[in-house]
Amino acid sequence: MATAVVTGASRGIGEAISQRLLELGYDVIGISRTINENSIHHPNFRALSCDLSDEKMTTSILTLLATDPSITILCNVAGFGIFEPHEEINAQTITKMVTLNLTAPMMLSNGLLRVLKFNEGIIFNITSIEALRHSKFSALYTATKAGLRAFSLSLFEEVRKSGVNVVSINPDMTTSSFFEELRFETSQEFDKRLEAEDIADTIQNILQMRNGVAITDITIRPQKFGIEKKK
Ligand code: NAP
């Protein structure tokens, strides 16, 4: 059985991707801080609790994962954003965001590439529309996501000869708990926001393409522009 490792699997986009991969017949190892075996009810789901903003914890989880020869998919989903004037963000938050959004996907790719090469697997990195544009109050988040996209595209050039694909998925605003602490949220209107399932659909479509074809960079947007300011 092929195994997918999905970070950020406890909710939102990572949970939707995990559910879809389970439906497609993969074993899924879901990673997040609060995840447990009850997070997703499926016999082929396994939970690994880890704070991926802590490099030592990421290293120890990699030691566990490195013994699994069936890993074929790595989905780097865990991440968070803060959209405030840059001088208002403290140093601890800067380090935490860079470590979670950028360092952890690089470390997980580094630790799992041998098995992914052996299985001719695929890495999905969930970046953001912010990886492609330059928005006010988004300098830190944009830097982590543009960095992750650049990492994905460069890594593909390195590993394509081994049969490994690396995909940067760049979603626009998607309804999830991502906005809980923010001053804005997604629109209520269906054509002005994305759903987590839209990202899962994209991953399914890529996985179902014929061998020998690689989508490396894909941007998903709602048909119309939408954003709600919180009262
Ligand atoms: P979400 O609902 O807030 O989910 C975030 C996930 O990341 C949760 O599973 C959370 O689990 C995990 N996580 C957070 N901090 C972590 C840590 N220190 N260590 C391990 N896991 C951690 O957000 P989402 O919308 O699904 O976002 C998922 C990814 O998509 C993020 O990388 C985000 O930047 C990206 N994205 C989101 C949007 C959007 O509009 N929602 C758009 C573009 C890109 P625990 O709390 O259990 O740790």
Side-chain angles (χ1 to χ4, degrees):
M1 186 92 71
T3 298
V5 174
V6 183
T7 73
S10 61
R11 55 179 193 268
I13 295 171
E15 184 187 3
I17 293 170
S18 299
Q19 297 273 15
R20 186 65 59 87
L21 291 172
L22 287 162
E23 282 164 27
L24 291 172
Y26 291 90
D27 283 356
V28 171
I29 301 173
I31 303 174
S32 89
R33 292 166 302 180
T34 65
I35 204 159
N36 60 52
E37 302 299 331
N38 295 321
S39 300
I40 295 179
H41 293 277
H42 195 286
N44 299 332
F45 173 73
R46 191 151 66 92
L48 281 182
S49 168
C50 178
D51 183 344
L52 294 167
S53 68
D54 179 331
E55 288 170 29
K56 284 192 185 131
M57 286 188 78
T58 305
T59 303
S60 52
I61 213 124
L62 266 171
T63 313
L64 271 178
L65 294 173
T67 60
D68 188 338
S70 67
I71 293 172
T72 309
I73 298 178
L74 168 63
C75 292
N76 287 305
V77 187
F80 77 103
I82 286 180
F83 304 91
E84 298 290 342
H86 193 63
E87 72 271 23
E88 301 295 332
I89 304 174
N90 65 40
Q92 200 185 359
T93 304
I94 294 172
T95 305
K96 188 176 169 189
M97 196 188 295
V98 172
T99 310
L100 179 63
N101 291 9
L102 185 55
T103 310
M106 289 176 174
M107 287 178 68
L108 291 169
S109 303
N110 170 269
L112 296 179
L113 255 177
R114 280 196 177 82
V115 69
L116 289 169
K117 282 184 177 178
F118 185 78
N119 292 329
E120 299 200 343
I122 183 161
I123 300 173
F124 293 99
N125 288 319
I126 306 301
T127 69
S128 166
I129 185 70
E130 298 303 334
L132 306 171
R133 66 186 181 192
H134 306 102
S135 306
K136 200 161 69 168
F137 304 137
S138 182
L140 172 60
Y141 183 72
T142 296
T144 65
K145 294 299 187 176
L148 183 57
R149 179 169 176 265
F151 172 71
S152 299
L153 297 172
S154 294
L155 188 63
F156 173 70
E157 298 300 341
E158 178 183 323
V159 299
R160 59 192 298 187
K161 65 179 180 301
S162 309
V164 177
N165 188 12
V166 188
V167 191
S168 175
I169 299 188
N170 322 309
D172 206 328
M173 286 179 67
T174 307
T175 304
S176 78
S177 56
F178 183 83
F179 300 95
E180 244 164 41
E181 306 289 323
L182 304 182
R183 296 175 199 270
F184 57 93
E185 58 195 341
T186 49
S187 165
Q188 303 292 318
E189 293 176 54
F190 82 100
D191 55 356
K192 294 185 176 175
R193 59 155 198 250
L194 297 174
E195 304 287 352
E197 286 67 29
D198 298 323
I199 321 303
D201 285 346
T202 304
I203 285 185
Q204 179 172 354
N205 289 339
I206 290 173
L207 288 173
Q208 290 176 340
M209 293 185 75
R210 74 168 173 86
N211 273 347
V213 176
I215 303 272
T216 56
D217 192 33
I218 187 159
T219 302
I220 317 169
R221 311 203 72 180
Q223 180 62 43
K224 298 178 185 165
F225 174 79
I227 186 167
E228 300 278 336
K229 278 194 179 157
K230 289 184 191 167
K231 301 236 162 52

